[in-house]
Amino acid sequence: MSNIRHALSVKREDDFAAWYQAAIAEGQMAEESGVRGCMVIKPWGYGIWERIQRLLDDRIKATGHDNAYFPLFIPLSNFEREADHVEGFAKEMAVVTHHRLIADGKGGLIPDPDAKLEEPLVVRPTSETIIGDAMARWVQSWRDLPLKLNQWANVVRWEMRTRMFLRTSEFLWQEGHTAHATAEEAKDHTLTMLEVYRAMAEEDLALPVIAGEKPEHERFPGAVETWSIEAMMQDGKALQAGTSHYLGTNFAKASGIKYQAQEGGEQFAHTTSWGVSTRLIGGIIMTHGDDDGLRVPPRIAPWQVVILPMLRGNDDDAALIDYCDGLRATLAGQHALGEPVRVLLDTKPGKPAQKRWDWVRKGAPVIVEVGGRDMENGVVTLIRRDQLWDMETGKLNAQAPTREIAGQTIPGVLGDIQQALFIEAAERRDANIATGIDSWDGVVEFFASNGKYPGWVEVQWAKPTGDALEQVVEKLKDQKLTVRNVPRDATPANGTCIFTGEPATERVYVARAY
Amino acid sequence: MSNIRHALSVKREDDFAAWYQAAIAEGQMAEESGVRGCMVIKPWGYGIWERIQRLLDDRIKATGHDNAYFPLFIPLSNFEREADHVEGFAKEMAVVTHHRLIADGKGGLIPDPDAKLEEPLVVRPTSETIIGDAMARWVQSWRDLPLKLNQWANVVRWEMRTRMFLRTSEFLWQEGHTAHATAEEAKDHTLTMLEVYRAMAEEDLALPVIAGEKPEHERFPGAVETWSIEAMMQDGKALQAGTSHYLGTNFAKASGIKYQAQEGGEQFAHTTSWGVSTRLIGGIIMTHGDDDGLRVPPRIAPWQVVILPMLRGNDDDAALIDYCDGLRATLAGQHALGEPVRVLLDTKPGKPAQKRWDWVRKGAPVIVEVGGRDMENGVVTLIRRDQLWDMETGKLNAQAPTREIAGQTIPGVLGDIQQALFIEAAERRDANIATGIDSWDGVVEFFASNGKYPGWVEVQWAKPTGDALEQVVEKLKDQKLTVRNVPRDATPANGTCIFTGEPATERVYVARAY
Ligand SMILES: [Zn+2]
Ligand SMILES: [Zn+2]
């Protein structure tokens, strides 16, 4: 393996953070925009987001939600209403104070002092309050429930330190908001959406996740229950990839979401909210990427197969393109993973080797190169991005099926790659979760002695609350650790709490996190 | 017809503006948000936008564009660069000046004076400059051209007087931006996208439009050519429904989009931009709506067929739902207009008559009501929204096919409705364009004597420019008239200019406009 010259300038094992930046830049996913904290999502990165959107939107609609659109701007007074202790309130948000630019008389522009807004507007950091207002208008009777809405939107949270896809001032997300007649129905729905996220992550993104409940101190402000899906990155850190909240009647009371019950009398609705964002793309990169760049799971790859004719700028090119187009047409007429195969015949000008490596770094699942000799022999050169190297020889692991065989087998290969990426990630994750550590000292020792990328530990605790929990959180924080979640499907606790020695009630994951 | 009791409270002929508001409110399309100038797009209205997006996005991708995403915020200095006469510059835009809210010590919140931005940020009114910056980074060589990008996004233009969908402070749109090596290629592309818009409007939205070039004074600032599609509303006013601009090298020079030419030497790229917005939805309402509410063309209807079992809250309901679900399943398994039929079995609680009229006002193309007696007789009650009334009897125009016949014929009926709506709108438009008026007095006379909703006139002119054009514009303005466009496919001029008496060179449309 040492003789392999990888396509990225940085290796994961040397500097994971630098590798992540290189994978994004060289995979043509995104770049700095010049606007503080905001990125430009380039076509390949945005294409992946479009695929995630399409697949998740289908799942959200299949569970009975309608999409709607709510204003970008939220009046400042909505936040006064929300902040139950306004005195301590300080939030990083973009605030619009003026509605006009004028010339400053010195050749520049300034916000027009005569166009100051009476009430400043905040660029939405989330749409809880404005959707709550709409729900209060739309819900009158039990007949209007459940009300199940979703919004795809951009949101802004002013961030001091940003990292592409993981933490940016502006990001793209979906936020679901539902209102129900009963607590039971709302709690069920919170878990239904958690399961939608789990299935989307594992089936579409090939991202193995642990679905579970966040401990009390990690709840969304105002939530009664907060659930998450947590994924392990290749540096062993956890990434919270999606959350689903049961909000009780707290938000219904703040917004006035009330209904006439079927049995008479006025009741507050029980609400939920849940969201995932472009952060998922960061998770995909850090889970599937390797030292040659991205590896995009076929289900969410904008192009699943890229065909590269090795053009020479002469008269033979037309026949070569024609030969390639035959394969393209064959593949486009077939299905893989339940959808028509997305195949690109890339005839853009450029050196063949450079084009090949561009697609390797972008992580197209299957790359098919075709030179003049391939055409003469009736074959193509096929590269699986997830099996790029022949480990024995240190050379590219290319196959040479006939064009006909390639046309028949590639759809199945795409399914194989989707599965292989998931299995690889799940096996790595499972191999990097330590179980059986039964003391706090054991936890400290584990993270001190397991190298740069130690992974997670599963421990047992007695579910501390209030002050006791705060002490645990402080203890963890000193080690740069966090509690991730309490898995939904864990085997019951059978030991003692590593913090108090009491009989344990739950298993929880402890990890460093993004 | 006089004995028909229509579903809306206002008729088009009585007060078109009030009718428009009623159609939006009672058709559950959108509502005021409480945030100045911003609307909430409700699920039915947003569902129509999603359909438009999906169909137009397919067309945009089929013509070789990639979607990408650029920041919401644009540094104020970008506008200084753009405004070539900064002194006269005054633009209504939302300006972000602070990045934090804090408590004011009196129980309220204020923008934190310590968190004032060094450089204010403007919420994008369009992304010309920020995409231009990216193109300057991405284009180096002729090999990088053409660069064809599109963005779906929200934009903000602070509006003093707003009208839902037609003019709102925040709106949703797509903006295409492309860079080309030559003027010829860029001009061709401007027209390619104009044609994409024409086809989308006519084929998907059933909106007949005139594609043509805007006169000089209506050009987008900085554009060399501006083209538009123009539709006629039922009050005879014109609605500009989409624009496509050839920008020459003006924007390339401002942003520095340069490339190494294949034959050597550095050249500026030629760029285009083009966009349509949620304004299209206003156009659909004002073209197809009637005194019973909306009529949504099947291609863009979120639900094309709504099946309403007349539930009675007793034991018979289950069998009725089952009977209806049989029809739903039959239809869902078929295609109409090239896509799977979108059919909803609406079992929400509510009075059957109210539910029927809700769907009439929302404009679902086909409504199928099924009562217990229908089920006994093996039939369903079928209502075509575009042929709601039997004009002779003044009663609802319902048919009673067997369930089997309904399952077989409805897909074809959807195609018929799509076509019928287009033909109705095209015939009305053509009947309301006056030709042959050969003097300015004739134009004034036409608009003075043709009632509330006079329509358009086609006149001939000698294509004035500069001062001469300004005089024409003033003359028109006095009559509240505007020049719409010079149609691409007009018969050549053969008369005299109505403004100057010179030999005419072009035919143009003159109309009142939104
Ligand atoms: Zn509190
Ligand atoms: Zn100028």
Short mmCIF file of all heavy atoms in Angstrom, two decimals, chain A residues 239-283:
data_model
loop_
_atom_site.label_atom_id
_atom_site.label_comp_id
_atom_site.label_asym_id
_atom_site.label_seq_id
_atom_site.Cartn_x
_atom_site.Cartn_y
_atom_site.Cartn_z
N LEU A 239 -21.19 12.71 15.14
CA LEU A 239 -21.88 13.82 14.46
C LEU A 239 -23.38 13.62 14.67
O LEU A 239 -23.95 12.60 14.29
CB LEU A 239 -21.58 13.81 12.96
CG LEU A 239 -22.23 14.98 12.20
CD1 LEU A 239 -21.38 16.24 12.33
CD2 LEU A 239 -22.43 14.63 10.73
N GLN A 240 -24.01 14.62 15.30
CA GLN A 240 -25.47 14.61 15.41
C GLN A 240 -26.01 14.95 14.03
O GLN A 240 -25.79 16.04 13.52
CB GLN A 240 -25.90 15.63 16.45
CG GLN A 240 -27.40 15.71 16.64
CD GLN A 240 -27.75 16.68 17.75
OE1 GLN A 240 -27.36 16.51 18.91
NE2 GLN A 240 -28.47 17.74 17.41
N ALA A 241 -26.73 13.99 13.43
CA ALA A 241 -27.09 14.14 12.02
C ALA A 241 -28.55 14.52 11.82
O ALA A 241 -28.96 14.83 10.70
CB ALA A 241 -26.80 12.83 11.28
N GLY A 242 -29.35 14.53 12.89
CA GLY A 242 -30.76 14.90 12.77
C GLY A 242 -31.39 14.84 14.15
O GLY A 242 -30.94 14.07 15.00
N THR A 243 -32.42 15.67 14.37
CA THR A 243 -33.10 15.65 15.67
C THR A 243 -34.61 15.68 15.47
O THR A 243 -35.10 16.21 14.48
CB THR A 243 -32.71 16.86 16.55
OG1 THR A 243 -32.82 18.06 15.77
CG2 THR A 243 -31.30 16.74 17.08
N SER A 244 -35.31 15.12 16.43
CA SER A 244 -36.78 15.11 16.43
C SER A 244 -37.23 15.41 17.85
O SER A 244 -36.80 14.76 18.80
CB SER A 244 -37.27 13.73 15.97
OG SER A 244 -38.68 13.70 15.87
N HIS A 245 -38.08 16.44 17.98
CA HIS A 245 -38.46 16.92 19.31
C HIS A 245 -39.95 16.76 19.57
O HIS A 245 -40.78 17.10 18.72
CB HIS A 245 -38.15 18.42 19.46
CG HIS A 245 -36.79 18.82 18.98
ND1 HIS A 245 -35.65 18.53 19.70
CD2 HIS A 245 -36.39 19.45 17.87
CE1 HIS A 245 -34.59 18.99 19.04
NE2 HIS A 245 -35.01 19.55 17.92
N TYR A 246 -40.28 16.28 20.77
CA TYR A 246 -41.65 16.36 21.25
C TYR A 246 -41.71 17.59 22.15
O TYR A 246 -40.95 17.69 23.12
CB TYR A 246 -42.04 15.09 22.01
CG TYR A 246 -43.31 15.27 22.81
CD1 TYR A 246 -44.50 15.67 22.19
CD2 TYR A 246 -43.33 15.04 24.20
CE1 TYR A 246 -45.66 15.86 22.93
CE2 TYR A 246 -44.48 15.23 24.93
CZ TYR A 246 -45.65 15.64 24.29
OH TYR A 246 -46.80 15.84 25.03
N LEU A 247 -42.58 18.53 21.81
CA LEU A 247 -42.56 19.84 22.47
C LEU A 247 -43.67 20.00 23.50
O LEU A 247 -43.83 21.10 24.07
CB LEU A 247 -42.68 20.94 21.40
CG LEU A 247 -41.60 20.87 20.30
CD1 LEU A 247 -41.93 21.83 19.17
CD2 LEU A 247 -40.21 21.17 20.86
N GLY A 248 -44.42 18.92 23.75
CA GLY A 248 -45.52 19.02 24.71
C GLY A 248 -46.49 20.11 24.27
O GLY A 248 -46.74 20.29 23.07
N THR A 249 -47.02 20.86 25.23
CA THR A 249 -47.90 21.98 24.88
C THR A 249 -47.16 23.31 25.05
O THR A 249 -47.77 24.38 25.00
CB THR A 249 -49.17 21.98 25.76
OG1 THR A 249 -48.76 21.99 27.14
CG2 THR A 249 -50.05 20.78 25.49
N ASN A 250 -45.84 23.25 25.25
CA ASN A 250 -45.09 24.48 25.54
C ASN A 250 -45.18 25.50 24.40
O ASN A 250 -45.43 26.68 24.63
CB ASN A 250 -43.61 24.15 25.80
CG ASN A 250 -43.45 23.31 27.06
OD1 ASN A 250 -44.32 23.32 27.93
ND2 ASN A 250 -42.35 22.58 27.17
N PHE A 251 -44.95 25.03 23.18
CA PHE A 251 -44.99 25.97 22.06
C PHE A 251 -46.44 26.33 21.70
O PHE A 251 -46.72 27.45 21.27
CB PHE A 251 -44.25 25.40 20.85
CG PHE A 251 -42.76 25.51 21.00
CD1 PHE A 251 -42.06 24.62 21.80
CD2 PHE A 251 -42.05 26.53 20.38
CE1 PHE A 251 -40.69 24.74 21.97
CE2 PHE A 251 -40.68 26.65 20.55
CZ PHE A 251 -39.99 25.75 21.34
N ALA A 252 -47.33 25.39 21.88
CA ALA A 252 -48.75 25.68 21.63
C ALA A 252 -49.24 26.79 22.56
O ALA A 252 -50.00 27.67 22.15
CB ALA A 252 -49.59 24.42 21.81
N LYS A 253 -48.77 26.76 23.80
CA LYS A 253 -49.17 27.82 24.74
C LYS A 253 -48.56 29.16 24.35
O LYS A 253 -49.22 30.20 24.40
CB LYS A 253 -48.77 27.43 26.17
CG LYS A 253 -49.74 26.41 26.76
CD LYS A 253 -49.31 25.90 28.13
CE LYS A 253 -50.33 24.87 28.64
NZ LYS A 253 -49.77 24.00 29.68
N ALA A 254 -47.29 29.15 23.94
CA ALA A 254 -46.63 30.40 23.55
C ALA A 254 -47.28 31.01 22.31
O ALA A 254 -47.40 32.23 22.20
CB ALA A 254 -45.14 30.16 23.30
N SER A 255 -47.73 30.16 21.37
CA SER A 255 -48.30 30.67 20.12
C SER A 255 -49.83 30.68 20.11
O SER A 255 -50.43 31.21 19.18
CB SER A 255 -47.83 29.82 18.93
OG SER A 255 -46.44 29.96 18.75
N GLY A 256 -50.44 30.04 21.10
CA GLY A 256 -51.91 30.01 21.13
C GLY A 256 -52.51 29.00 20.17
O GLY A 256 -53.53 29.27 19.53
N ILE A 257 -51.91 27.82 20.06
CA ILE A 257 -52.47 26.78 19.18
C ILE A 257 -53.48 25.96 19.99
O ILE A 257 -53.10 25.05 20.74
CB ILE A 257 -51.36 25.86 18.61
CG1 ILE A 257 -50.22 26.70 18.02
CG2 ILE A 257 -51.96 24.91 17.56
CD1 ILE A 257 -49.00 25.89 17.62
N LYS A 258 -54.75 26.34 19.85
CA LYS A 258 -55.82 25.73 20.64
C LYS A 258 -56.87 25.16 19.71
O LYS A 258 -57.03 25.63 18.59
CB LYS A 258 -56.50 26.81 21.51
CG LYS A 258 -55.65 27.31 22.65
CD LYS A 258 -56.35 28.43 23.41
CE LYS A 258 -56.37 29.71 22.61
NZ LYS A 258 -56.75 30.90 23.43
N TYR A 259 -57.61 24.17 20.21
CA TYR A 259 -58.66 23.59 19.36
C TYR A 259 -59.87 23.19 20.20
O TYR A 259 -59.74 22.92 21.40
CB TYR A 259 -58.14 22.38 18.58
CG TYR A 259 -57.82 21.18 19.44
CD1 TYR A 259 -58.76 20.14 19.58
CD2 TYR A 259 -56.61 21.06 20.12
CE1 TYR A 259 -58.47 19.04 20.37
CE2 TYR A 259 -56.33 19.96 20.91
CZ TYR A 259 -57.26 18.95 21.03
OH TYR A 259 -57.00 17.87 21.82
N GLN A 260 -61.03 23.23 19.56
CA GLN A 260 -62.25 22.71 20.17
C GLN A 260 -62.18 21.20 20.10
O GLN A 260 -62.15 20.63 19.01
CB GLN A 260 -63.49 23.20 19.40
CG GLN A 260 -63.83 24.66 19.63
CD GLN A 260 -64.29 24.94 21.07
OE1 GLN A 260 -64.85 24.06 21.73
NE2 GLN A 260 -64.01 26.14 21.56
N ALA A 261 -62.19 20.57 21.24
CA ALA A 261 -62.09 19.11 21.27
C ALA A 261 -63.40 18.48 20.80
O ALA A 261 -64.46 19.08 20.90
CB ALA A 261 -61.75 18.64 22.68
N GLN A 262 -63.28 17.24 20.27
CA GLN A 262 -64.47 16.56 19.77
C GLN A 262 -65.49 16.36 20.88
O GLN A 262 -66.69 16.46 20.67
CB GLN A 262 -64.06 15.19 19.17
CG GLN A 262 -65.18 14.48 18.44
CD GLN A 262 -64.67 13.37 17.55
OE1 GLN A 262 -63.50 12.99 17.61
NE2 GLN A 262 -65.54 12.85 16.69
N GLU A 263 -64.97 16.13 22.09
CA GLU A 263 -65.85 15.92 23.24
C GLU A 263 -66.21 17.24 23.92
O GLU A 263 -66.80 17.25 24.99
CB GLU A 263 -65.22 14.93 24.22
CG GLU A 263 -63.88 15.34 24.83
CD GLU A 263 -62.66 15.10 23.91
OE1 GLU A 263 -62.86 14.80 22.71
OE2 GLU A 263 -61.53 15.24 24.39
N GLY A 264 -65.85 18.37 23.27
CA GLY A 264 -66.18 19.69 23.84
C GLY A 264 -65.03 20.25 24.64
O GLY A 264 -64.15 19.52 25.11
N GLY A 265 -65.00 21.58 24.77
CA GLY A 265 -63.95 22.22 25.56
C GLY A 265 -62.76 22.56 24.71
O GLY A 265 -62.51 21.95 23.66
N GLU A 266 -62.00 23.56 25.14
CA GLU A 266 -60.84 24.03 24.39
C GLU A 266 -59.57 23.40 24.95
O GLU A 266 -59.37 23.37 26.16
CB GLU A 266 -60.76 25.56 24.50
CG GLU A 266 -59.98 26.18 23.37
CD GLU A 266 -60.08 27.71 23.42
OE1 GLU A 266 -59.71 28.30 24.45
OE2 GLU A 266 -60.52 28.29 22.43
N GLN A 267 -58.71 22.92 24.05
CA GLN A 267 -57.48 22.25 24.45
C GLN A 267 -56.30 22.86 23.72
O GLN A 267 -56.44 23.32 22.59
CB GLN A 267 -57.53 20.77 24.04
CG GLN A 267 -58.69 19.98 24.59
CD GLN A 267 -58.42 19.43 25.98
OE1 GLN A 267 -57.29 19.54 26.48
NE2 GLN A 267 -59.45 18.88 26.62
N PHE A 268 -55.12 22.81 24.36
CA PHE A 268 -53.90 23.16 23.63
C PHE A 268 -53.43 21.94 22.83
O PHE A 268 -53.54 20.80 23.29
CB PHE A 268 -52.79 23.58 24.60
CG PHE A 268 -52.96 24.99 25.08
CD1 PHE A 268 -53.38 25.25 26.38
CD2 PHE A 268 -52.73 26.06 24.22
CE1 PHE A 268 -53.55 26.56 26.82
CE2 PHE A 268 -52.90 27.37 24.65
CZ PHE A 268 -53.32 27.62 25.96
N ALA A 269 -52.92 22.20 21.64
CA ALA A 269 -52.37 21.11 20.83
C ALA A 269 -51.02 20.67 21.39
O ALA A 269 -50.36 21.41 22.12
CB ALA A 269 -52.21 21.57 19.39
N HIS A 270 -50.62 19.47 21.05
CA HIS A 270 -49.28 18.96 21.35
C HIS A 270 -48.47 19.03 20.07
O HIS A 270 -48.94 18.56 19.03
CB HIS A 270 -49.35 17.53 21.86
CG HIS A 270 -50.01 17.42 23.21
ND1 HIS A 270 -49.31 17.19 24.36
CD2 HIS A 270 -51.31 17.56 23.57
CE1 HIS A 270 -50.15 17.18 25.38
NE2 HIS A 270 -51.37 17.40 24.94
N THR A 271 -47.29 19.62 20.12
CA THR A 271 -46.55 19.83 18.86
C THR A 271 -45.22 19.07 18.83
O THR A 271 -44.69 18.67 19.88
CB THR A 271 -46.29 21.33 18.59
OG1 THR A 271 -45.39 21.85 19.56
CG2 THR A 271 -47.59 22.13 18.64
N THR A 272 -44.72 18.89 17.61
CA THR A 272 -43.40 18.29 17.40
C THR A 272 -42.63 19.16 16.40
O THR A 272 -43.24 19.93 15.66
CB THR A 272 -43.48 16.87 16.78
OG1 THR A 272 -43.67 16.97 15.35
CG2 THR A 272 -44.61 16.05 17.38
N SER A 273 -41.32 19.03 16.40
CA SER A 273 -40.54 19.60 15.31
C SER A 273 -39.31 18.73 15.11
O SER A 273 -38.88 18.03 16.02
CB SER A 273 -40.16 21.05 15.58
OG SER A 273 -39.15 21.15 16.55
N TRP A 274 -38.77 18.77 13.90
CA TRP A 274 -37.68 17.87 13.54
C TRP A 274 -37.00 18.42 12.30
O TRP A 274 -37.62 19.05 11.45
CB TRP A 274 -38.21 16.45 13.28
CG TRP A 274 -39.64 16.41 12.83
CD1 TRP A 274 -40.76 16.45 13.62
CD2 TRP A 274 -40.13 16.41 11.47
NE1 TRP A 274 -41.91 16.47 12.84
CE2 TRP A 274 -41.55 16.44 11.53
CE3 TRP A 274 -39.49 16.38 10.23
CZ2 TRP A 274 -42.34 16.44 10.38
CZ3 TRP A 274 -40.29 16.38 9.08
CH2 TRP A 274 -41.68 16.40 9.18
N GLY A 275 -35.68 18.23 12.24
CA GLY A 275 -34.95 18.80 11.12
C GLY A 275 -33.63 18.09 10.82
O GLY A 275 -33.01 17.50 11.70
N VAL A 276 -33.25 18.17 9.56
CA VAL A 276 -31.89 17.81 9.13
C VAL A 276 -31.42 18.90 8.18
O VAL A 276 -32.22 19.62 7.61
CB VAL A 276 -31.79 16.43 8.44
CG1 VAL A 276 -32.27 15.32 9.34
CG2 VAL A 276 -32.54 16.42 7.11
N SER A 277 -30.12 18.98 8.01
CA SER A 277 -29.57 20.10 7.25
C SER A 277 -28.43 19.65 6.33
O SER A 277 -28.07 18.47 6.28
CB SER A 277 -29.04 21.16 8.22
OG SER A 277 -27.84 20.70 8.81
N THR A 278 -27.84 20.64 5.65
CA THR A 278 -26.68 20.38 4.79
C THR A 278 -25.50 19.82 5.59
O THR A 278 -24.53 19.35 4.99
CB THR A 278 -26.25 21.67 4.06
OG1 THR A 278 -26.48 22.81 4.88
CG2 THR A 278 -27.02 21.85 2.76
N ARG A 279 -25.58 19.87 6.92
CA ARG A 279 -24.60 19.20 7.78
C ARG A 279 -24.46 17.72 7.42
O ARG A 279 -23.38 17.13 7.58
CB ARG A 279 -25.11 19.37 9.21
CG ARG A 279 -24.44 18.55 10.25
CD ARG A 279 -24.86 19.03 11.63
NE ARG A 279 -23.72 19.65 12.24
CZ ARG A 279 -23.23 19.25 13.42
NH1 ARG A 279 -23.81 18.29 14.12
NH2 ARG A 279 -22.16 19.82 13.92
N LEU A 280 -25.55 17.11 6.95
CA LEU A 280 -25.50 15.70 6.55
C LEU A 280 -24.39 15.47 5.53
O LEU A 280 -23.76 14.41 5.52
CB LEU A 280 -26.83 15.28 5.90
CG LEU A 280 -28.04 15.02 6.81
CD1 LEU A 280 -29.26 14.77 5.95
CD2 LEU A 280 -27.77 13.84 7.73
N ILE A 281 -24.16 16.46 4.67
CA ILE A 281 -23.14 16.30 3.63
C ILE A 281 -21.76 16.20 4.27
O ILE A 281 -20.92 15.41 3.84
CB ILE A 281 -23.23 17.45 2.61
CG1 ILE A 281 -24.58 17.38 1.89
CG2 ILE A 281 -22.07 17.38 1.61
CD1 ILE A 281 -24.85 18.53 0.93
N GLY A 282 -21.53 16.99 5.32
CA GLY A 282 -20.29 16.84 6.08
C GLY A 282 -20.14 15.43 6.61
O GLY A 282 -19.05 14.84 6.58
N GLY A 283 -21.24 14.87 7.10
CA GLY A 283 -21.22 13.51 7.63
C GLY A 283 -20.91 12.47 6.56
O GLY A 283 -20.19 11.50 6.81
#
